[in-house]
Amino acid sequence: MVVATSSIGQRRYSPASANTIAMAHLLQRVAEERDREAFEELYGSFAPRVKAYMIRQGADPTTAEELAQETLMTVWRKAGLYSDTKGSATTWIFTIARNLRIDRLRREVPWQALPEGRDEEAADDQAPDEAVAERQRRHRVHEVLSELPSDQHQVVVLSYIEGLSHSEIAERLELPLGTVKSRMRLAYQKIRESVEDLK
Amino acid sequence: MKINHHPDASTLMSYAAGSLPEVLSAVVAAHIEVCPRCAAEVAEMERIGASLFERIEAVPMLEPALGANEKSSTQELAQLLDTRFAAEDPDESVLTRLLGRELSDVHWKRLGFGIWHHPIQLSPGTQGDLRLIKVAPGQVMPEHGHGGSELTLVLEGAYSDETGCYRTGDVSDLGDDVEHRPISDPSEGCICLIASEQKARFKDVVARIFQPLTGL
Ligand SMILES: [Zn+2]
């Protein structure tokens, strides 16, 4: 609860585009040249955030450190599967961290879809300027999130960052399950509307 | 495949967040595999996660960088990852991976008149219930329980209830308090994958629908 409210209090939404581009370039250098320096920069930028994410999800600091390393190792190994046209580096790394966390929590889930499988399919019909649209889309998502009413923002954070199921959120906030679901839906509706013209 | 019924947006969001209970995630994963529309929604929803993740307050790593001074452990880790990724077969469907076999090779257990089931084991300690249900043509199906979330994916055939007709690929994601009496397709019957967040309910429900039948 402490974490959820504090994160609402200190929302900082800096324009992420410059950073997004830099990260995508680093990832490409890792993919194409197996560039160790680029990897270390990625590591410096993402590993502490993955570690923080794992702690917020309930991992102890040692496990969180381990999972952060494992996430970045996976980035190193699978960088070749990432392409700039497929989406932002952050989204890709987020999905890797998310899946590793699920794996660890559930100990090997054979059916868990890996992110790059779907990315590869999606990449077929994407034009090169899709990367620009992707950045715009991510920027809009940032903006909408920053403007969400706090009750909607709270359930979104509890779901994505604290890793709580809808039932757990309902229990924690002492709300009916239906209310949690409708707040999630309302938040998503705004995000969808904001990116509608980019499709 | 023409899909008319999809999981609720809040269900897909929870899936994208990685916080949907495992049994429900299994059903969503199987649906997404055949539903490009929901796959696209989930990709959109992953951006929300990335956006929040980007602004999380970082916690410094104890290890400054990978590989530089820990070559051996890095190699071990890489080997570990190699083994694990090698074990995954990307060509297998979600359902085949779930079942450990093809749907046609499932050993069905008879649950009652015109109805069979096959419970699916997930990780140890998983909450909830996941199973296949096979229903003969024109048969009343196990009703959804109430309380907690439940998802039903039609794998073969069809069924209908007050909310509509559910065919192959369709998902029913009904809220807590919807009373309904699904009936399987009169000529094909149906096979469904059903996940319930709460374990005990399923048997109660099955017992309840068979009460009137035993009185026949
Ligand atoms: Zn769908």
Side-chain angles (χ1 to χ4, degrees):
Chain A
M1 204 187 328
V2 178
V3 206
T5 37
S6 76
S7 72
I8 289 166
Q10 47 172 255
R11 276 184 257 164
R12 286 184 301 267
Y13 295 88
S14 57
S17 50
N19 190 265
T20 306
I21 295 165
M23 290 304 142
H25 282 167
L26 287 176
L27 201 46
Q28 245 161 1
R29 274 165 59 197
V30 171
E32 284 156 22
E33 299 149 41
R34 307 309 280 161
D35 184 331
R36 210 156 185 108
E37 240 173 72
F39 177 73
E40 272 169 30
E41 259 191 81
L42 276 179
Y43 185 94
S45 167
F46 283 105
R49 271 185 277 176
V50 176
K51 185 177 176 181
Y53 167 75
M54 296 301 177
I55 289 172
R56 293 278 293 270
Q57 296 273 343
D60 61 82
T62 313
T63 309
E65 170 106 8
E66 232 176 84
L67 286 168
Q69 288 196 7
E70 206 176 319
T71 301
L72 271 292
M73 268 313 287
T74 307
V75 170
W76 170 261
R77 290 189 68 257
K78 296 192 161 188
L81 296 168
Y82 168 86
S83 130
D84 191 37
T85 55
K86 285 177 191 166
S88 86
T90 311
T91 306
W92 189 62
I93 294 171
F94 164 73
T95 57
I96 291 174
R98 177 201 63 191
N99 288 1
L100 282 178
R101 173 221 156 235
I102 292 172
D103 268 10
R104 182 60 67 93
L105 236 98
R106 297 176 183 164
R107 298 186 211 134
E108 300 304 308
V109 188
W111 48 264
Q112 182 64 38
L114 289 165
E116 63 274 12
R118 202 169 59 235
D119 283 351
E120 273 174 328
E121 278 169 41
D124 292 343
D125 51 9
Q126 278 178 339
D129 61 316
E130 184 69 12
V132 179
E134 173 62 30
R135 269 167 217 135
Q136 271 181 303
R137 208 173 280 147
R138 295 246 306 119
H139 185 65
R140 301 257 181 101
V141 173
H142 265 279
E143 281 182 334
V144 176
L145 280 173
S146 72
E147 287 157 11
L148 280 183
S150 63
D151 61 344
Q152 288 170 28
H153 191 265
Q154 186 184 35
V155 295
V156 170
V157 169
L158 288 171
S159 175
Y160 278 89
I161 302 298
E162 314 281 311
L164 299 187
S165 70
H166 291 156
S167 300
E168 289 164 339
I169 296 172
E171 208 172 298
R172 168 134 10 147
L173 301 179
E174 296 178 1
L175 290 169
L177 183 59
T179 307
V180 173
K181 290 188 179 202
S182 71
R183 284 182 189 175
M184 293 284 285
R185 270 197 297 270
L186 284 170
Y188 181 59
Q189 216 174 311
K190 284 176 194 150
I191 286 161
R192 266 212 77 163
E193 279 164 16
S194 79
V195 297
E196 203 59 55
D197 60 313
L198 298 176
K199 298 239 152 144
Chain B
M1 191 183 301
K2 172 90 180 76
I3 297 173
N4 292 312
H5 300 278
H6 306 268
D8 188 78
S10 66
T11 305
L12 294 176
M13 269 176 109
S14 189
Y15 176 79
S19 61
L20 192 68
E22 187 177 7
V23 292
L24 303 176
S25 289
V27 176
V28 173
H31 173 73
I32 279 180
E33 200 172 47
V34 295
C35 182
R37 182 182 129 173
C38 286
E41 297 278 11
V42 167
E44 191 68 58
M45 290 161 174
E46 283 170 346
R47 290 192 185 94
I48 301 172
S51 193
L52 294 167
F53 166 71
E54 200 160 55
R55 274 164 294 109
I56 209 166
E57 207 172 313
V59 174
M61 293 289 283
L62 301 178
E63 293 294 335
L66 269 178
N69 44 9
E70 289 238 358
K71 279 232 165 56
S72 62
S73 75
T74 306
Q75 269 166 1
E76 276 169 35
L77 187 58
Q79 272 172 356
L80 202 88
L81 289 167
D82 273 333
T83 350
R84 211 186 57 189
F85 291 132
E88 286 161 359
D89 180 356
D91 292 331
E92 275 188 348
S93 74
V94 170
L95 191 70
T96 307
R97 276 180 281 161
L98 266 175
L99 297 171
R101 70 194 73 194
E102 298 295 324
L103 184 57
S104 51
D105 298 331
V106 165
H107 304 296
W108 294 98
K109 284 184 208 115
R110 194 166 175 271
L111 200 61
F113 179 75
I115 183 162
W116 296 263
H117 76 148
H118 175 76
I120 297 167
Q121 285 297 308
L122 291 177
S123 319
T126 304
Q127 302 282 311
D129 188 277
L130 181 66
R131 64 184 70 216
L132 290 173
I133 288 282
K134 186 164 87 168
V135 186
Q139 174 80 30
V140 176
M141 290 173 59
E143 210 177 315
H144 286 188
H146 303 285
S149 304
E150 298 187 1
L151 289 175
T152 303
L153 169 68
V154 181
L155 300 172
E156 282 177 16
Y159 75 84
S160 38
D161 67 10
E162 293 85 337
T163 64
C165 181
Y166 294 81
R167 295 184 181 84
T168 308
D170 281 339
V171 165
S172 157
D173 185 357
L174 291 177
D176 326 52
D177 294 321
V178 188
E179 276 289 341
H180 68 140
R181 275 180 86 72
I183 295 171
S184 66
D185 184 271
S187 59
E188 295 173 273
C190 67
I191 297 177
C192 299
L193 179 65
I194 303 183
S196 166
E197 207 180 356
Q198 282 161 17
K199 198 153 204 133
R201 298 222 56 102
F202 190 83
K203 278 186 179 164
D204 300 348
V205 163
V206 172
R208 208 166 65 228
I209 60 156
F210 285 107
Q211 269 160 12
L213 286 175
T214 49
L216 281 175

